[in-house]
Every structure is written in structure tokens, then in C-alpha cells.
Amino acid sequence: MIIIMLFILIITFKGMNRSDITVSTTNREPLGAEACTESKSWFDDQVGWISSDAKMTKGLKEFYKKTGVQPYVIITDNVNGKGATLNDSEAEQYLQETYDALFDDEGHLIFLFLEYESGTYKGYLYAGNQASSVIDTEAQEIIYDFVDYYYTSNLDDNEFFSTVFEKSAERIMRKTTTGNDILLKTIIVIGIIGGISVIGYLIIRKKKIELQEAEEKRKILETPIEKLNDEELKDKYQ
């Protein structure tokens, strides 16, 4: 039983390692509803990629439902005329200005997706102060990783963004099982099984001794006294 259990756990762990998605090491609580006023706008498609609002917003709304943080996606091929040459400082300034123009609270998240040439893109996240309590550095890395993961998939543009945010929310809001977690659980299981085995062995051993003693006593009681060699036994059972 122990060998089979270990085999299953090892296979599960190896399967998890095939993904390059950052693991979630924190149990996060959703942002309170008072911190984020829902906006009617969910994205700004500046390049004409999105053909279905419903498909696009499905995953964004799921992200909002799970995290309490409403995402807003900007899809573009340049920021103020810059693509490949856009630096982090310029991107941050652009996102800060955009955030201030769009939202009056600190519970939103903007994702800038900048594909300045086919097959090459940059991604930037900007979170309000309160949103950052949920969408921390690790959570942002999870989103970036899912963007990379699905960027080369066969999903259409609507499904791409929707899936990225839906899957990101699932991982962000649930602590991921790590190798150490599996090892600890395995040790605990082995300890429990080992403890049960020891107890079972002791019970069986005690029962066996009791049966042996009972059998010995039976034989002695059934043996005529005159045939007993031990004088002490003769005195005891006479």
C-alpha cells in the first residue's frame, strides 16, 4: 500500500512540474466589495482583435468574482508611438495616467498587452493600492506566466485574454501544492500507516501469546495429575 501511494504522489508531482506557471504560496482573501466599484468597461481594444465582447469578458468577470479586483485590458501595438522602444518607466507612467482617468478607487487592475510586431509582445500590469493586497508580486507573476503559456496556443484572441484571467484567478486564489507539501503529506501518511502497523502487530502478538498460554493451560488441565513431572504443578492442580 505504501509503495503504491508513493508512486501516485510522485507521478502527480512530476505532472505538476511540467508547467512553468508560478506556484501560489499564499492563501489570499478576495478584496472587499467596497474597495472596487464595478466599471462597465472591461477592455480597450485599439487594434481590432476582439470580435466577441461576451467571450472576452467571461474570464475577466470570473477573475473579478474570485479576486474582488476588476481587471481592465488594453490591447495595442504602440504607446505614444512606441513599441519595442517603450521602457518600463514610460509604460508605468502611461498606466498610472490611464488608471487615474478611468477609476476613482484603488481596487482595479490594468493589463497592457502591447504586440508591436507579430509574435512579439510586452505585458505590463498596474494595480491600485488596495488591489495590490490580492494581486501582489507573486500573483502578477502568475498572470504573466499564463499570458506566456497561452500566447502560442490555438485560442482565438477573445478566448486568449479570457482564459488567461480565468486561469490566473484560479491559481492566485488557491495555494498551489508544492513538492514540499507533497513530501510532508507523504511523511505523515507513512507515519500513520506505520503507527497502525505497529499497533496491529502488538495486538496480534498479544493475542498469540494469550492463545499459547490458554493452550498450555488446557493441556496441563487435561493431563492426569499422576503424569505431571513437576511437583509444583502437581500441588497446584491437585
Side-chain angles (χ1 to χ4, degrees):
M1 181 182 293
I2 296 176
I3 294 175
I4 295 174
M5 189 174 301
L6 283 172
F7 177 74
I8 293 172
L9 289 172
I10 289 169
I11 290 298
T12 303
F13 179 54
K14 285 184 177 178
M16 289 167 51
N17 275 345
R18 293 173 188 167
S19 173
D20 293 326
I21 309 299
T22 297
V23 298
S24 176
T25 61
T26 304
N27 289 316
R28 298 176 177 85
E29 293 295 326
L31 192 66
E34 72 284 353
C36 183
T37 302
E38 183 176 344
S39 170
K40 293 182 179 180
S41 298
W42 292 85
F43 64 92
D44 176 17
D45 177 15
Q46 300 178 6
V47 289
W49 284 11
I50 304 305
S51 58
S52 171
D53 286 14
K55 281 186 178 181
M56 170 68 176
T57 59
K58 177 179 177 293
L60 304 185
K61 289 179 179 179
E62 189 65 22
F63 185 94
Y64 181 35
K65 178 181 177 181
K66 282 186 167 65
T67 67
V69 176
Q70 184 180 6
Y72 182 82
V73 179
I74 300 174
I75 310 167
T76 188
D77 56 6
N78 76 88
V79 171
N80 297 326
K82 290 188 175 184
T85 58
L86 182 73
N87 60 45
D88 293 349
S89 178
E90 292 169 333
E92 184 178 0
Q93 182 179 350
Y94 168 75
L95 288 172
Q96 183 176 349
E97 292 173 354
T98 302
Y99 191 103
D100 292 341
L102 290 173
F103 310 118
D104 295 324
D105 57 51
E106 294 294 327
H108 285 78
L109 172 72
I110 298 180
F111 174 55
L112 170 63
F113 183 83
L114 170 63
E115 188 182 81
Y116 51 88
E117 62 181 61
S118 181
T120 308
Y121 78 93
K122 291 183 177 183
Y124 297 95
L125 287 165
Y126 186 90
N129 290 333
Q130 289 180 287
S132 296
S133 64
V134 182
I135 312 302
D136 51 28
T137 301
E138 183 178 81
Q140 291 185 33
E141 287 300 322
I142 289 171
I143 297 173
Y144 285 134
D145 287 347
F146 273 115
V147 173
D148 283 341
Y149 183 81
Y150 286 109
Y151 183 62
T152 55
S153 70
N154 58 359
L155 298 175
D156 65 30
D157 296 328
N158 309 284
E159 295 168 331
F160 166 61
F161 292 105
S162 179
T163 303
V164 164
F165 278 90
E166 184 172 356
K167 296 298 183 182
S168 294
E170 290 175 3
R171 177 159 292 211
I172 288 169
M173 300 307 291
R174 184 177 63 221
K175 185 177 178 181
T176 309
T177 301
T178 65
N180 288 335
D181 294 330
I182 293 175
L183 179 60
L184 178 60
K185 289 178 181 178
T186 302
I187 292 172
I188 292 173
V189 169
I190 292 174
I192 292 172
I193 294 174
I196 293 173
S197 300
V198 170
I199 293 171
Y201 169 75
L202 293 175
I203 292 173
I204 293 172
R205 186 172 181 274
K206 184 174 182 292
K207 188 69 175 176
K208 185 177 180 180
I209 292 172
E210 289 175 350
L211 289 173
Q212 288 176 341
E213 291 176 345
E215 179 64 16
E216 184 180 344
K217 184 176 181 180
R218 183 188 66 77
K219 288 180 179 179
I220 292 172
L221 291 174
E222 291 178 354
T223 302
I225 294 177
E226 60 274 11
K227 291 186 178 181
L228 292 174
N229 295 323
D230 192 315
E231 292 298 327
E232 185 178 342
L233 289 176
K234 287 182 181 181
D235 294 338
K236 183 175 181 179
Y237 293 101
Q238 192 167 16

